[in-house]
Amino acid sequence: MTEQLPDSGRSAASDPLTAQKIWLYLKRSARLRCPVCGRSPLFLPARRTESIPDWFAMLPGCPRCGYRYEREPGYFLFALWLVNFGMVTFVGLGLLLALDRFFTLSTAQLMFFTLVPLWVLGIASVRHIKAFFLAVDHLIHPHEEE
Ligand SMILES: [Zn+2]
């Protein structure tokens, strides 16, 4: 099923910014799909990854529509260092405060029950953070192939 905005056979990137378009791009990023066509995956499927870097590496571009995922070297640094780190920090502070408020734990227990889930969250969310960053960047500043 092709996800296109109604009354449009064009790329969704050339349409004005609407709530429907924002929702469409967010859905595509949640499904780890190309922000332009919504069909091709952004990453190798888990069963085809051979190493840890394969898991985190985004494919170079969409084979269907030709959209290049990484615009320039270091394109995803902002996504990883600010968005992912910010989210993990925010969740960690909330988790730490909640654990401290509702449970009687030692400092070591607090650290353990806060840091272990944060490591898991930080690593598990990398793909979705990159996809979300790509979708939002494409939504705000769509680029056309030169
Ligand atoms: Zn595509």
Side-chain angles (χ1 to χ4, degrees):
M1 180 178 113
T2 302
E3 293 179 353
Q4 289 184 336
L5 296 172
D7 75 343
S8 170
R10 299 171 289 147
S11 163
S14 59
D15 295 334
L17 190 61
T18 62
Q20 185 182 16
K21 184 176 174 182
I22 293 169
W23 180 244
L24 176 68
Y25 279 35
L26 291 179
K27 276 194 327 189
R28 288 175 178 171
S29 74
R31 293 174 45 229
L32 302 178
R33 298 291 170 182
C34 172
V36 175
C37 67
R39 288 184 167 190
S40 300
L42 296 173
F43 298 92
L44 281 175
R47 67 182 179 283
R48 289 186 46 208
T49 56
E50 296 175 356
S51 64
I52 300 280
D54 279 356
W55 173 261
F56 296 114
M58 190 171 268
L59 295 171
C62 178
R64 185 176 307 268
C65 68
Y67 184 76
R68 203 177 58 198
Y69 297 148
E70 189 164 348
R71 294 185 186 190
E72 57 196 3
Y75 178 66
F76 291 107
L77 283 178
F78 178 81
L80 295 177
W81 284 104
L82 197 64
V83 179
N84 196 10
F85 185 71
M87 177 198 65
V88 168
T89 301
F90 184 76
V91 170
L93 284 174
L95 181 62
L96 180 66
L97 293 174
L99 288 173
D100 191 40
R101 171 98 167 104
F102 298 111
F103 298 97
T104 306
L105 300 172
S106 68
T107 302
Q109 289 172 321
L110 275 175
M111 297 288 285
F112 178 80
F113 288 118
T114 302
L115 293 179
V116 170
L118 289 185
W119 273 96
V120 173
L121 174 68
I123 291 171
S125 64
V126 166
R127 283 181 160 207
H128 282 87
I129 294 290
K130 281 182 165 182
F132 176 74
F133 179 78
L134 183 68
V136 169
D137 191 36
H138 183 64
L139 187 68
I140 294 171
H141 185 247
H143 74 105
E144 307 296 331
E145 289 297 320
E146 293 87 32

